[in-house]
Each structure stands twice: as C-alpha cells, then as structure tokens.
C-alpha cells in the first residue's frame, strides 16, 4: 500500500507524550506560557465565534462538545462528566481535543486533554487572579483537594507569587494526597481540619469541590473584606459552592456570560445582577480590583476559548518537542474524486 | 513509565485499516450490513437525541460537528467542506468520528470517516430506494461522477438489483474515472454525453454534483412518471440541484426535517409543503411508493444518525477483524483524584 501523503497525517499527542512534553517544558513554565496564550485570545475576544457547549445529558452524566474558532484556527474539546465513574475505576472527567485550520478544514492536532484541561484551568484561574487578587497576596486556601488542586497551587505560585497553600477537603485522604504531591515545590503546605481553619489569613480562596448539587462550601461569615474568591467547582446547572449572600457582597467576573448564567455560581442571581466579563479587564477596557477591601469573585465554569488557547499552545510546542505520533486519519486519494479507486488499489497492493 | 490500563485505550481505525476492513468484509457486503444498521436505528428514531449539526462557517468553507445519541451510545462526526481544497491538493470533504458509551462517557472508537461516510451515504440512498424505487428497477442514471458515484452504483446494485448504470458528468474525465473503476463489478456501465442521454430508460435518477450554488441538474421536462429521484448533492443553504417544478410533482421523503428545510432541495418550498419522514416509512407507519406512476424524491442531506449507525457497525466489526490500533488517549491515574501524582511519577520513571 502506498504510504499516505503528509497532508493526510494528523499529529497526535497521547497521554504519555503529554506527560513527556510537560516535563520537557517544566510544569510551571508550561502554565506560565499558557497564561500568555489565554491572555492573547481573551484580548482578541471579539474575533472568536462563541457558542455555548453542545451537551448530551443522560442519567449517568454528560458528554459535551465545546467548539470555538477565529479566522485562522478552529478547535473543539470532547469532555465527559460522570460522577459515578470513580466507583467503577473510571475517571469522572476525561477529555480530548482537536485543532484545525479554518482555511482547509484539516485537523492539525489531536491530543489528550485531561491533563491539558487541568493545566488550562489552573492557568485561567491564575490569569484572573493576576488582575483580581489583592496586591501582595501570599496565602491561598484550597477548599477541595481533588485532581485540580495541585495544578491550582503551582499556577498561583508561578503567576501570583503565592507562598503558602492551606488545604481542606471533606475527605482527609484527598488532603493528604495533595500535601504529599506538593512537597518539594517551594510552597509551604498546611493541611487543615476545617474550611474555617483553611481560610485563616488567606488572600485568595479557591473552591474546587466535586459535589453535583447546590452546596455551601463557603458561608457568608467566612468571607472577610479584601479577598479574591476563585470559584471553580460550580460549573453546571444545580451545582454551586457559595452561599448567595457572598455573591451580593462581591464584584463578580465571568468568562462567557451566556454560559455562566446557566452553569456558574450566578445561576442563583437575577439576570440583571451586575457582572463583568473578564476579557474586558484583560483588554484594559474595565478595571479589575479597584481597592484593598473589595471582595472579587471569579465565577469560573471553563470556556471553549481556554481550550482553544491550550490547543494552540501545544501545537506550537511540537516543532521544538517532537512528542507526538502521526495518525493516518484523513483519506487522501491522489485525485480527490477518486476515493473508490484508492480503495480498489489498496486491495491490489 | 507504567503502560496505560486497558480503560485508557481507544481503538483507532486509520484510513489504511478502514480499507483493509472493507476489503476483508467485501465492499458490497459492508454496504448491505450497513443498510441493516441504519434501518435498525431509523426504526427506533424516537429513542435518539437529535440536533441539527453545529456548523462553523468561514469564507473558505465549513467545519461541522454532528452529534447524536441514544440511551446506550453517543456518536459524533467531524466533517469539513472546502470547495477550494481540490485546487490545493487537499480533499473537499474529510471526516473522522467517535463513538462513546453513554454510561461512562468513555470513547470506544475513533475512526477515519471519509471512506466510511461514502459507504453510509450510499447505504442510506439504497435503503431509501428499497422503499421508494419502482418495482423491478434495473437502470440507474448517475448525474455527477465524483467521489460518491461508484459507491452509489454498488449499493444500488446490491440492495435494489440495479444492473445498468448510465453515467454523466459535466467533466468527461470524471465519467471516465468512474467507468474504469466500475469495470468488473457485474454492472453494465454506459458513459453518456448529456444528462438527457443518461436518464433515458432509468427508473432511478441519482444526482450528486458538487456545485455550491442553486443549479439545475434536472429540469422539469427531463423527469417522467414513475421514477425515483435520489437527490444527494443539494445539501447546504443555497445549494440545490433540481428545478422547483420537479418538487411540486414529487412525493418528497426526508431524513430530519429541521435540517432538510435548511439544507435540502426543499429549502426553496414553503414550509407547509407536505413531506414525509423516511423513518415513518421504514417503521411501517407510512407508505413509501404507492403506485407505478408516482415520482418519489429522496431529498438526502446526510444526517448524524446515519453516521451513528456506521460507527456502531465498524465498532462491532473490530472483534472479528482486528484492523485497528489502540490509542493512549484518556488519562487514567490509579487514583482518579491523583492526576498530578501520575504526572510526577511519569517524570521519575
């Protein structure tokens, strides 16, 4: 059989190759680079086709496609969310993604995105905190010590100068796992027995719990003036983490309002409640934190453009770090109309 | 590095493996099997989540995601359409697809779909013709001799007993290509110089041209009583192949009306014009062809459920024909919450 032409081959980054790539770059450098890519895309927000994700809900969970595009590139992520998976030895969330050229429609990257999403979520949180956290913040409370926890800690250390991370999880073994993993990363890591203990002295409070219902991870009296809340866990209808009173005392920043009104903490608010789009802050059109006493809240649900930025970043790395395979994924007959002839000749060969 | 667990591996059918698989089964048998899968899914139409495709349009073309699901399986196809690609040595249309389990959200198949779409489109046409073509039809006219042409001819021969194919294309070299490819397939193949010559004596007229505008491949006086028109080429807004007068004389059958009203031949009709959903014919709820003089028209635009059936068919073949690779596409830490630990340990290994 004639080998496929180069046009027909799509670079594929497996999980193993993604880990090699992250180590080759360094996890903290990778996050820092990714913040640059996400900021670049948030600054040119208006150039993107934006659409809420396309979700297929079932009793067991959800499968979503998250597409977005600018004039040059098109990207989408496939991601599932299945809370009962963990009991069966499967991941709750797995993901993969594709980046394509708009001009030809040809994919130029297929990659695992479970690890990549962990990095881009942490990078997005750190990017928001850069504009919203109080000046000189050095302590972060981390409520919820699941898969995202360590990535958040590293990103906040790298981008915002966080020196101390105070961990709390309803399951102490999760806290222990995160504390062990964060050893030797240049951070003071303090395991706490209660959420109240975790937030003591923290200028940044990150909530990232997995409960699939309206929970109250933070109550109103726990949040004092001058903190930045990085709320990641409330990310689908019926799933929130903060007491509504906190929302009323905070200045709220969001990614894509059409999606956040449905999936974020603000789903419990009236639709005329003031919110600020983060891209307006990053492009300099609106201000982020204005004073030391303000409570800022980044109501993060994860947006397709962040995946787009992450895909774009990985694609750019493949010239320097050849950690990919090439997949023969696109049929490429010599004469485009001769698909059947290609099939016939493959039999003869 | 520890090898990934079986859960993390996704079977991948490359273009080369798809060709091996089709030859192992036999192209005509593969089409016949696929008709069975598509019929099975059309019969249980109401069990599916149906949504019009999600399209990203640009000046150069379109990139689409076509998802659908039933209670058990979720599938989507990525497909592009870029008319200018051919000049650059790229394919106008390429595609790949994914099938997943609804219960876990885990992909169970990633496959090329350019060849597979050619097969499923031909299988869908033949399935419709089985219910709509006049009894004893033996001659098909094939207007437009591009990539789909030979697949249509074989499917109509296998499913409907067509013995003679009369070819016409505005480009004689396309006709020559198809005629050469169809040698030795047990069909009388007649190359024609005009569309009028091609339709002489044909009981089935298939139109499959690539022009991206409202064209008139068939005029009203060309279509006599008692024929079945299999209209494949009119498949996006502004792209039709038939003179509107033909539509008014035909009984029209469609896949998914929400999509066909936008993309099919019927886009030029008033929305109250009667049409019949093909699934109602296949499930026995409505009749197909009722008499010998009727003109039936299958206004085919291609629907996600046909891709779902094709994905399901290929997935079922992999037990018998192991023409696939396994991709390490899903991150699978031993402890689901320990994604960061998995990354760290990969560095040590």
């Amino acid at each position: 059989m004639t080998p496929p032409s180069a046009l027909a081959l799509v670079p594929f980054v497996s999980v193993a190759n993604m880990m090699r790539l992250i180590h080759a770059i360094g996890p903290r450098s990778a996050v820092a680079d990714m913040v640059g890519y996400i900021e670049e895309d948030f600054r040119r927000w208006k150039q993107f086709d934006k659409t809420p994700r396309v979700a297929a809900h079932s009793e067991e969970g959800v499968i979503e496609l998250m597409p977005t595009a600018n004039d040059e590139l098109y990207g989408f992520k496939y991601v599932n969310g299945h809370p009962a998976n963990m009991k069966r030895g499967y991941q709750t969330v797995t993901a993969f993604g594709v980046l394509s050229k708009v001009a030809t429609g040809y994919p130029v990257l297929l990659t695992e995105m479970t690890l990549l999403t962990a990095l881009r979520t942490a990078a997005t949180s750190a990017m928001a905190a850069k504009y919203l956290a109080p000046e000189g913040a050095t302590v972060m409370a981390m409520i919820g010590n699941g898969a995202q926890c360590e990535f958040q800690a590293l990103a906040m250390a790298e981008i915002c100068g966080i020196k101390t991370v105070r961990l709390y999880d309803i399951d102490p073994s999760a806290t222990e796992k995160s504390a062990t993993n964060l050893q030797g990363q240049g951070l003071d890591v303090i395991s706490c027995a209660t959420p109240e203990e975790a937030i003591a002295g923290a200028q940044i409070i990150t909530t990232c719990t997995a409960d699939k219902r309206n929970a109250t991870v933070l109550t109103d009296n726990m949040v004092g003036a001058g903190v930045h809340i990085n709320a990641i866990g409330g990310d689908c209808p019926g799933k929130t983490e903060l007491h509504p009173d906190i929302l009323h005392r905070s200045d709220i920043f969001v990614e894509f309002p059409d999606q956040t009104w449905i999936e974020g903490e603000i789903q419990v608010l009236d639709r005329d409640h003031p919110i600020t789009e983060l891209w307006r802050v990053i492009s300099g059109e609106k201000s982020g934190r204005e004073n030391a006493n303000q409570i800022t809240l980044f109501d993060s649900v994860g947006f397709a453009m962040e995946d787009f930025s992450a895909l774009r970043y990985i694609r750019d790395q493949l010239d320097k770090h050849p950690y990919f395979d090439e997949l023969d994924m696109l049929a490429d007959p010599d004469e485009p109309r001769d698909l059947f002839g290609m099939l016939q000749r493959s039999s003869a060969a």
Side-chain angles (χ1 to χ4, degrees), chain A:
Chain A
M1 205 179 289
T2 326
S5 86
L7 292 182
L9 297 175
V10 179
F12 165 61
V13 180
S14 67
V15 175
N17 273 328
M18 182 60 79
M19 294 196 288
R20 288 186 190 102
L21 182 60
I22 295 169
H23 286 301
I25 300 165
R28 287 174 71 141
S29 295
V31 165
D33 291 347
M34 224 175 280
V35 167
Y37 274 71
I38 300 171
E39 278 187 308
E40 188 183 346
D41 288 333
F42 269 61
R43 271 195 206 105
R44 52 182 180 173
W45 180 268
K46 288 181 183 169
Q47 294 172 24
F48 281 82
D49 267 347
K50 289 169 288 287
T51 172
R53 48 189 127 198
V54 183
H57 293 276
S58 64
E59 271 175 40
E60 296 98 340
V62 64
I63 298 175
E64 296 175 330
L65 297 173
M66 302 169 69
T68 195
N70 65 10
D71 285 350
E72 190 197 347
L73 294 165
Y74 169 95
F76 80 87
K77 179 164 82 169
Y78 169 107
V79 59
N80 76 295
H82 286 70
N85 267 6
M86 218 164 77
K87 277 178 274 175
R88 299 180 276 203
Y90 289 79
Q91 302 300 304
T92 303
V93 175
T94 64
F96 65 90
V98 169
L99 191 70
S100 302
K101 284 197 176 160
V102 166
T104 61
Y106 269 47
V108 293
L109 175 67
L110 168 70
T111 178
E112 86 82 34
M113 283 195 83
T114 312
L115 280 159
L116 191 56
T117 298
L119 286 173
R120 77 86 160 128
T121 302
T124 304
S125 289
M127 176 185 75
K130 199 167 74 161
Y131 294 88
L132 301 178
E135 221 182 303
T138 56
V139 180
M140 173 165 80
M142 186 78 218
I143 314 286
N145 305 146
Q148 176 63 203
C149 174
E150 299 93 319
F151 296 96
Q152 285 283 333
L154 284 199
M156 292 291 189
E158 180 68 19
I159 304 297
C160 306
I162 288 298
K163 309 282 180 217
T164 302
V165 179
R166 302 177 66 86
L167 303 176
Y168 170 75
D169 196 286
I170 199 167
D171 175 359
S173 74
T175 303
E176 200 182 322
K177 175 268 310 180
S178 293
T180 305
N181 284 341
L182 286 172
Q183 278 170 13
Q185 300 285 346
L187 280 164
D188 283 332
V189 180
I190 298 163
S191 298
C192 302
T194 63
E196 288 77 5
E197 187 188 338
I199 63 171
Q203 296 92 20
I204 299 178
I205 302 174
T206 294
T207 57
C208 189
T209 62
D211 218 339
K212 202 182 170 169
R213 59 189 168 86
N214 291 315
T216 306
V217 175
L218 291 184
T219 57
D220 191 32
N221 62 358
M222 287 167 72
V223 178
V227 303
H228 171 61
I229 304 172
N230 176 39
I232 302 167
D235 62 357
C236 66
K239 182 171 173 229
T240 57
E241 294 182 314
L242 308 182
H243 192 283
D245 288 349
I246 298 173
L247 305 183
H248 287 283
R249 291 165 54 213
S250 304
D251 291 305
I252 303 173
F253 299 82
V254 305
E255 291 144 311
F256 181 49
D258 287 0
Q259 191 178 307
T260 314
W261 282 117
I262 297 168
E263 301 173 356
E265 297 295 331
I266 59 172
Q267 64 187 271
V268 303
L269 296 178
D270 293 334
R271 283 291 172 109
D272 57 358
H273 193 95
I275 57 170
T276 303
E277 292 165 283
L278 188 60
W279 73 268
R280 294 187 194 275
V281 176
I282 288 166
S283 66
E285 191 186 305
K286 298 234 173 163
S287 52
R289 173 165 291 268
E290 290 175 324
N291 64 63
N293 289 324
Q294 196 179 6
I295 301 172
T296 51
L297 166 61
F298 177 42
D299 184 5
S300 177
V301 296
F303 181 48
M305 198 192 292
E306 295 147 20
D307 299 311
F308 179 95
S309 310
L311 287 167
R312 204 162 62 76
Y313 173 64
I314 295 300
R315 172 70 196 170
D316 285 352
Q317 300 317 301
L318 299 187
D319 298 331
K320 287 166 268 179
H321 307 282
Y323 293 126
F324 61 93
D325 304 301
E326 293 200 306
L327 297 188
D328 161 28
M329 200 159 98
L330 308 175
D332 185 43
D334 301 329
E335 212 284 60
R337 289 174 302 187
D338 199 15
L339 195 62
F340 189 81
M342 181 182 82
L343 175 64
Q344 278 183 315
R345 287 186 292 276
S346 78
S347 166

